[in-house]
Amino acid sequence: MNDQQIMDLFHEKGLKITTQRRLISKYILSRTDHPTAEQVYSALEKEYPAISLATVYKTLNLLYKLGIIQELGFGEGPVRYDPNTAVHINMVCTKCGSIIDYRAKDVETWWNELIEKLDAQPVGQRIDIYYLCEKCKKK
Amino acid sequence: MNDQQIMDLFHEKGLKITTQRRLISKYILSRTDHPTAEQVYSALEKEYPAISLATVYKTLNLLYKLGIIQELGFGEGPVRYDPNTAVHINMVCTKCGSIIDYRAKDVETWWNELIEKLDAQPVGQRIDIYYLCEKCKKK
DNA sequence: ACTTAATTAATAATCATTCTCAATTAGGAA
DNA sequence: TTCCTAATTGAGAATGATTATTAATTAAGT
């Protein structure tokens, strides 16, 4: 999903298309590093100084509710946002907190087999692996 | 792992065995409903009124650091604690927040195959499926 | 251009969790 | 058993993340 498609979806749902929503949507879609709301805010502040942190939170929440992005909450620290909603594995470094997506065909295949066995129909999923990333392992 | 084994581990690590730690450990091990720290506190307050919420937080954190329990943070609401550290799926109702563990032999088998393919060695994992539980689906 | 409801910025309020520190206690040593 | 000391605890203050409030602004249909 690209940012234009998101704007179309907003329109379809009767939601207003604002500069802020456009910028936030575009920005989060462009990231693979799972930023926090604060980080999205800091990045956008440079080109759009009037933007407010509350708007960033509200918009990310809206994107989440619309199923466009994933929310990753942890025991500690702020929520991380992931534009990848396909079945994949979040490789989470327990030391530095970096998160990279691991996506493999067989993960998706297995997942589809699994959910077929359930009587429930999932509305989403989350798969995390906690490990030490290369950088942190060296130290 | 039972609570006596946890006490043995505490001893081994040079950690003091207190009434609070005993009660909190025993309680969380007995639950399958993934309670919050607040809920653990409320339950234990009845038989041990002097217990403090800070101690509950600290002890649950300690158990987590020792790898005895799992911490499940979400985008909203408090952290939930899960004494089941085996590979399993957390079935999370997106409406009422109930969490039940889904454990199947093939989940573990597949998981072991998967992590063999990674060059990283995981220190833990988390698998969630978001869905509507039976009760909430009826409404 | 006009209207109006939705959205925004700014900041106060809230919620969950951690921190601080004086008092208490576990558990090893005498 | 009693003593000693460092670890732990309870109580509440402090912090950090997020949400709520509200007056001002703005998107977008008429």
Side-chain angles (χ1 to χ4, degrees):
Chain A
M1 178 160 290
N2 64 41
D3 57 311
Q4 188 48 57
Q5 289 174 302
I6 297 177
M7 293 309 112
D8 292 348
L9 182 64
F10 277 11
H11 189 258
E12 205 175 290
K13 299 262 177 188
L15 295 162
K16 289 190 176 168
I17 295 167
T18 65
T19 308
Q20 292 89 334
R21 286 179 171 171
R22 212 187 277 277
L23 287 172
I24 295 163
S25 301
K26 195 170 179 183
Y27 185 76
I28 193 63
L29 286 189
S30 77
R31 309 299 310 189
T32 58
D33 61 345
H34 310 69
T36 65
E38 187 75 47
Q39 288 170 333
V40 172
Y41 169 71
S42 296
L44 295 179
E45 213 189 1
K46 282 155 194 150
E47 56 172 312
Y48 195 96
I51 205 164
S52 132
L53 181 57
T55 301
V56 173
Y57 269 105
K58 256 180 293 182
T59 304
L60 290 173
N61 237 298
L62 179 63
L63 293 174
Y64 168 64
K65 295 265 167 67
L66 293 171
I68 296 164
I69 62 175
Q70 214 182 12
E71 265 189 3
L72 300 178
F74 295 92
E76 57 170 7
V79 168
R80 310 280 294 263
Y81 293 92
D82 186 355
N84 182 3
T85 55
V87 175
H88 69 277
I89 297 173
N90 303 298
M91 301 291 302
V92 183
C93 175
T94 51
K95 195 164 179 194
C96 70
S98 73
I99 306 177
I100 55 174
D101 284 356
Y102 172 89
R103 195 175 172 184
K105 195 92 198 68
D106 51 348
V107 174
E108 258 174 292
T109 308
W110 171 74
W111 191 260
N112 290 335
E113 281 169 25
L114 174 76
I115 60 174
E116 258 177 44
K117 281 181 230 159
L118 301 171
D119 19 308
Q121 47 264 219
V123 295
Q125 76 292 317
R126 167 176 181 179
I127 313 174
D128 291 354
I129 286 182
Y130 305 106
Y131 78 123
L132 270 183
C133 73
E134 282 308 313
K135 271 188 189 170
C136 290
K137 202 160 60 178
K138 275 175 194 154
K139 285 167 195 165
Chain B
M1 178 161 288
N2 64 41
D3 58 312
Q4 188 48 57
Q5 289 174 302
I6 296 176
M7 294 308 112
D8 292 348
L9 182 64
F10 277 12
H11 189 257
E12 204 176 293
K13 298 263 179 188
L15 295 162
K16 288 189 177 170
I17 295 167
T18 65
T19 308
Q20 292 88 335
R21 286 181 171 170
R22 212 188 277 278
L23 288 171
I24 296 163
S25 301
K26 195 170 178 182
Y27 184 77
I28 193 62
L29 286 189
S30 76
R31 309 299 311 189
T32 59
D33 61 345
H34 309 67
T36 66
E38 188 75 50
Q39 288 170 331
V40 172
Y41 169 71
S42 296
L44 295 179
E45 213 188 0
K46 282 157 196 151
E47 54 171 313
Y48 194 97
I51 205 164
S52 132
L53 180 56
T55 300
V56 173
Y57 270 104
K58 256 179 294 182
T59 303
L60 290 172
N61 236 297
L62 179 63
L63 293 174
Y64 168 64
K65 296 266 167 66
L66 292 172
I68 296 164
I69 63 175
Q70 215 180 13
E71 265 189 2
L72 300 178
F74 296 92
E76 58 170 7
V79 168
R80 311 280 295 263
Y81 293 92
D82 185 354
N84 183 3
T85 55
V87 175
H88 69 277
I89 298 173
N90 303 298
M91 300 291 301
V92 183
C93 176
T94 51
K95 195 165 180 194
C96 69
S98 72
I99 306 177
I100 54 174
D101 284 355
Y102 173 86
R103 195 173 172 184
K105 192 93 197 70
D106 52 348
V107 174
E108 258 174 293
T109 307
W110 172 75
W111 191 261
N112 291 334
E113 280 169 24
L114 174 76
I115 59 173
E116 257 177 46
K117 281 181 228 159
L118 302 171
D119 18 309
Q121 46 265 221
V123 294
Q125 77 291 318
R126 166 177 181 178
I127 313 173
D128 291 354
I129 286 182
Y130 306 106
Y131 79 123
L132 271 184
C133 74
E134 282 308 313
K135 272 189 189 170
C136 290
K137 203 161 58 182
K138 276 177 195 152
K139 286 169 197 166

